[in-house]
């Protein structure tokens, strides 16, 4: 914040200006870390491969810096924001854009499928407290969505992109990679946010595969497989609610058939191994 002897001068950067203009303080409980380095917007835009025909979903509109950037480049932007305290600041950023709709509410509860026109890409600086759940929800529930570019906590990004037999590999890794190509595009400096977060961030990219997507049954199999991570996979599935008698032996036989030891743990299977296992168990 710059001061003169006579008066305060508004910061030029939009987020800092709106924080001061509307007397706002970020809410850490909502995972609010606002973008204050506009140079990162170009990095996000290139990863999103934005076109003037795109319909984009932004979750966590905040102070509207990314919202403005997107609205100037795509056909339509749907912005979701939970924090009503930000209404005046977000409207300051968005009211001049006819191709932008603001939806007030919880992104984990809103019916995104009802948004018109239908969003095909998610581009967002995601609130840390919903990032993983929101990405998995949109992958599983909105098949029209084909690309995700999200700034997330480094641990979350590495978990989504993790390879089998690594410590970060788990349910999010498998569920995301069953449907998408997943990679961490780059590290993001803490200095691009206000307030400066206590964790590192990354830019995460997911691109949906063409063809067969993960079924509900396959997603449930993956969740059950990792429910007892220290146990053998067959034992974990045998402990799942409603598992029929003989599940352990059926799973052990199927694992051998797809080329794994009968007592293998879940983290050793690739996403495609899980797909093959589900087919064998459901035949």
């Amino acid at each position: 914040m710059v001061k003169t002897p006579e008066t305060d001068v508004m910061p030029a950067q939009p987020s800092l200006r709106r924080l001061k203009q509307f007397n706002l303080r970020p809410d850490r409980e909502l995972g609010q870390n606002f973008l204050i380095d506009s140079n990162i917007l170009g990095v996000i835009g290139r990863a999103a491969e934005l076109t003037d025909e795109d319909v984009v979903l932004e979750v966590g509109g905040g102070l509207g810096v990314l919202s403005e950037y997107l609205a100037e480049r795509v056909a339509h932007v749907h912005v979701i924001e939970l924090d009503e305290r930000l209404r005046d600041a977000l409207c300051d950023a968005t009211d001049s854009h006819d191709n932008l709709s603001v939806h007030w509410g919880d992104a984990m509860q809103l019916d995104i499928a009802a948004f018109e026109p239908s969003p095909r890409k998610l581009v967002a600086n995601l609130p840390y407290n919903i990032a993983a759940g929101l990405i998995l929800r949109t992958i599983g529930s909105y098949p029209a969505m084909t690309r995700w570019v999200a700034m997330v906590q480094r641990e979350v990004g590495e978990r989504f992109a993790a390879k089998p037999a690594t410590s970060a590999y788990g349910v999010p890794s498998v569920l995301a990679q069953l449907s998408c190509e997943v990679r961490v595009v780059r590290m993001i400096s803490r200095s691009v946010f206000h307030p400066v977060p206590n964790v590192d961030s990354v830019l995460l990219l997911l691109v949906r595969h063409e063809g067969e997507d993960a079924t509900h049954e396959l997603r449930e199999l993956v969740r059950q497989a990792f429910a007892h991570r220290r146990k053998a996979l067959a034992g974990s599935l045998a402990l799942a609610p409603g598992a029929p008698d003989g599940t352990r032996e059926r799973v052990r036989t199927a694992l051998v058939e797809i080329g794994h030891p009968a007592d293998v743990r879940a983290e050793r299977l690739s996403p495609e191994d899980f797909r093959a296992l589900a087919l064998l168990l459901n035949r």
Side-chain angles (χ1 to χ4, degrees):
M1 185 181 302
V2 180
K3 292 186 177 182
T4 69
E6 297 83 13
T7 185
D8 290 349
V9 176
M10 283 292 181
Q13 202 286 326
S15 292
L16 295 176
R17 174 174 59 79
R18 290 176 185 132
L19 283 171
K20 181 178 180 181
Q21 179 180 352
F22 297 101
N23 194 27
L24 295 168
R25 292 186 177 181
D27 188 331
R28 287 190 179 272
E29 290 188 5
L30 294 178
Q32 290 177 345
N33 297 94
F34 300 124
L35 274 175
I36 60 169
D37 183 346
S38 298
N39 292 325
I40 202 68
L41 296 174
V43 177
I44 295 171
R46 288 189 291 274
E49 297 186 357
L50 300 175
T51 74
D52 58 9
E53 297 180 352
D54 281 336
V55 180
V56 173
L57 174 67
E58 181 194 4
V59 175
L63 301 173
V65 174
L66 180 57
S67 310
E68 292 174 303
Y69 175 87
L70 293 170
E72 293 168 358
R73 289 162 174 80
V74 303
H76 197 90
V77 185
H78 293 283
V79 180
I80 297 177
E81 178 52 57
L82 175 65
D83 189 356
E84 288 279 354
R85 297 179 312 124
L86 304 181
R87 182 177 288 271
D88 289 344
L90 186 54
C91 288
D92 179 70
T94 61
D95 279 353
S96 63
H97 296 284
D98 294 335
N99 63 332
L100 188 150
S101 307
V102 180
H103 309 266
W104 293 94
D106 185 344
M108 297 298 289
Q109 302 296 327
L110 290 175
D111 182 11
I112 297 170
F115 290 2
E116 292 290 344
S118 179
R120 298 300 182 94
K121 294 180 179 180
L122 183 147
V123 183
N125 172 27
L126 289 178
Y128 287 156
N129 55 350
I130 66 164
L134 191 282
I135 291 172
L136 291 178
R137 180 186 183 222
T138 50
I139 290 173
S141 300
Y142 306 110
M145 196 165 290
T146 60
R147 196 176 191 93
W148 294 253
V149 177
M151 284 194 288
V152 298
Q153 187 174 338
R154 178 180 179 179
E155 179 184 351
V156 171
E158 291 178 345
R159 195 180 305 150
F160 272 98
K163 301 302 181 185
T166 61
S167 59
Y169 188 72
V171 173
S173 321
V174 179
L175 294 183
Q177 293 172 38
L178 279 167
S179 297
C180 303
E181 175 190 349
V182 183
R183 66 184 177 92
V184 172
V185 175
R186 60 173 287 174
M187 293 286 297
I188 302 295
S189 169
R190 298 186 187 192
S191 66
V192 308
F193 302 107
H194 175 81
V196 177
N198 296 323
V199 296
D200 293 322
S201 300
V202 297
L203 190 64
L204 182 67
L205 170 66
L206 301 92
V207 181
R208 193 182 292 275
H209 299 311
E210 294 184 4
E212 186 178 8
D213 210 341
T215 63
H216 172 74
E217 292 75 17
L218 176 52
R219 293 195 294 269
E220 284 303 303
L221 173 69
V222 172
R223 292 187 176 97
Q224 293 165 359
F226 285 92
H228 305 275
R229 194 174 180 113
R230 294 186 178 181
K231 290 184 176 293
L233 174 55
S236 187
L237 293 179
L239 291 172
D245 293 342
T247 293
R248 187 188 305 270
E249 289 309 313
R250 288 184 63 235
V251 174
R252 287 171 62 87
T253 299
L255 287 169
V256 172
E257 190 168 340
I258 65 173
H260 285 281
D263 61 351
V264 70
R265 291 183 178 180
E267 62 264 25
R268 295 285 173 176
L269 271 66
S270 70
E272 289 308 310
D273 287 336
F274 276 104
R275 194 187 301 276
L277 178 64
L279 289 173
L280 289 175
L281 295 177
N282 291 328
R283 68 183 178 184

